[in-house]
Amino acid sequence: MTVTAQKTNEVSSIRRELGISLPVICREIFAAHRAEIQVRNERIAVANLGKILEATLAIANRKGFAAMSLRELAERAGLSLGGLYAYIKSKDDLAVMIQAQVQRVLQQAMTNRLADIRDPAQRLSEAIRTHLYLSEALLPWFQFLYMEARHLAPSERRRAVALEQESEKIFADIIIAGQQTRQFRDCNPPVAAGMLKAMLQDWYLKHRKHRQRGLNVAGYATQVEEFINRYLAHTNS
């Protein structure tokens, strides 16, 4: 099996495990933005939202979101400009959709997968793997949010910062719980969470580098877990 085929199978497995697919994502977006979207037929709306999102991520990856025009997006998605306006009125609307959906998926995945885990060390391990697996399954989405956040309107940039802070808080709260049970050493939880988040972001921001080193997402997760566990361990253990 080629490296490309292995990666495709890996991502497909992760998506099945987390219940992620483009139609599911688009149905959730349609439900969340039903009042603004002019198309009332859900089947048609979901299909066209998929085309719009795939085209957006492809163009943004090639030339950047700021340089993309709505006319270019419509052509790539196979829609008329008027047809595109039935779903979004501006690029900011599109960025909001992507940003809000990634936030919903991340919150849902974390909530579902951490719900029955009480032990802080196990919760931290599961949170690390869930975040990394999700970013692997939605790699272009995570890259888009990080790379294009600076081009968003001020209000949306603030939302992007808030999303990152909310994600860090999940890890900080787990570290605090581990300190309370004496599993983790005394350290600054927000700082430790920020360091951890930077390692998680490095996976999707420097994806090719890690792949060239022979790491898949599971292997990278193991490396991150070993590093953060050593950092959090009591010095006399």
Side-chain angles (χ1 to χ4, degrees), residues 34-224:
R34 190 184 296 266
E36 301 96 64
I37 294 174
Q38 297 176 13
V39 178
R40 294 292 174 253
N41 185 298
E42 181 176 349
R43 181 183 61 79
I44 294 174
V46 166
N48 285 336
L49 282 169
K51 295 175 184 177
I52 292 167
L53 292 170
E54 287 186 321
T56 298
L57 296 173
I59 296 172
N61 181 60
R62 178 171 56 85
K63 61 186 291 186
F65 187 65
M68 180 187 76
S69 70
L70 289 182
R71 185 173 298 279
E72 179 182 18
L73 174 60
E75 291 176 356
R76 178 68 181 255
L79 301 172
S80 67
L81 190 57
L84 179 64
Y85 280 128
Y87 296 90
I88 58 169
K89 299 305 180 191
S90 68
K91 290 201 297 183
D92 280 348
D93 285 351
L94 187 55
V96 168
M97 281 185 178
I98 294 174
Q99 185 182 74
Q101 185 58 29
V102 170
Q103 184 175 15
R104 278 193 294 270
V105 172
L106 182 58
Q107 287 177 335
Q108 182 178 358
M110 285 291 194
T111 298
N112 291 347
R113 296 174 72 86
L114 298 180
D116 298 326
I117 304 175
R118 294 291 174 262
D119 178 73
Q122 293 179 8
R123 281 178 67 84
L124 185 60
S125 175
E126 186 60 41
I128 288 170
R129 289 187 177 271
T130 298
H131 195 290
L132 284 172
Y133 287 10
L134 188 61
S135 70
E136 179 72 2
L138 296 176
L139 184 63
W141 299 64
F142 276 74
Q143 291 173 333
F144 173 89
L145 286 184
Y146 189 92
M147 300 304 295
E148 304 300 338
R150 64 188 182 277
H151 299 305
L152 300 177
S155 61
E156 298 314 316
R157 286 201 300 270
R158 288 192 292 271
R159 282 171 58 97
V161 171
L163 174 59
E164 182 166 349
Q165 291 173 337
E166 184 176 326
S167 177
E168 286 185 15
K169 187 177 184 302
I170 294 173
F171 294 105
D173 288 345
I174 295 173
I175 292 170
I176 290 171
Q179 289 173 334
Q180 292 171 344
T181 59
R182 304 291 298 165
Q183 289 176 273
F184 300 147
R185 72 175 178 87
D186 184 26
C187 66
N188 187 315
V191 172
M195 293 166 54
L196 174 55
K197 184 63 183 293
M199 287 189 283
L200 299 180
Q201 289 175 329
D202 203 59
W203 173 253
Y204 56 86
L205 295 179
K206 300 176 183 177
H207 193 256
R208 181 173 296 179
K209 175 189 73 175
H210 293 302
R211 285 288 183 176
Q212 288 174 342
R213 290 173 174 171
L215 283 172
N216 60 12
V217 67
Y220 186 77
T222 298
Q223 295 287 323
V224 172

